[in-house]
Amino acid sequence: MRSRTERSALTAIAVVVVAAAAAAWWTSDAWLPRAGPWSEQVWKKVTRPGPDTLPPDKRPTQAQAARTGASAPAAPQPRKCVKEGRTTYTDQPCPRGSQELPVDGAVTSLPP
């Protein structure tokens, strides 16, 4: 059970919050057009963070950023090579004597 002072303080805080929400709603015509673009930009940054949100040591350099543009070549397709019961995944042509099979599922990393 809360003391009388705690209940009074919490009630006062609740009244102030409700009054602020009502005032914001009542005056939204004045401030919403200016806050709209800003809020959309913040929402995009929160939901779709870009390279500028990475730690400084993980950020791509300008040259890397330029390379990842629309003119970048397509990533090589992974290949599944089977030789003597042993399976190897690569982005190069399969070695001689091995059988190339379709890649089922997803390959998450390829050798550099």
Side-chain angles (χ1 to χ4, degrees), residues 3 7 9 12 23-24 26 28 31 49 52-54 56 66 83 90 99 106 109:
S3 71
R7 285 189 307 227
W26 189 265
S28 64
W31 58 266
D52 56 329
T53 60
L54 293 171
K83 183 177 181 180
T90 182
Q99 179 184 9
S109 64

Side-chain angles (χ1 to χ4, degrees), residues 14-38:
V15 167
V16 168
V17 167
V18 169
W25 176 76
W26 189 265
T27 62
S28 64
D29 292 340
W31 58 266
L32 194 56
R34 283 181 265 152
W38 174 82

Side-chain angles (χ1 to χ4, degrees), residues 4 11 16 23 31 36-37 45 54 56 88 94 100 109:
R4 180 177 218 155
T11 302
V16 168
W31 58 266
K45 190 170 246 356
L54 293 171
T88 307
C94 290
E100 183 172 338
S109 64

Side-chain angles (χ1 to χ4, degrees), residues 2 15 22 35 37 42 45 54-55 59 62-63 96:
R2 300 201 184 274
V15 167
V42 168
K45 190 170 246 356
L54 293 171
R59 288 184 186 165
Q62 292 295 338
R96 290 193 170 196

Side-chain angles (χ1 to χ4, degrees), residues 52-92:
D52 56 329
T53 60
L54 293 171
D57 58 330
K58 300 286 185 183
R59 288 184 186 165
T61 62
Q62 292 295 338
Q64 289 173 335
R67 271 187 265 138
T68 59
S71 62
Q77 294 296 317
R79 299 171 188 245
K80 179 179 180 180
C81 306
V82 179
K83 183 177 181 180
E84 299 174 1
R86 185 171 172 214
T87 304
T88 307
Y89 292 93
T90 182
D91 60 345
Q92 303 295 319

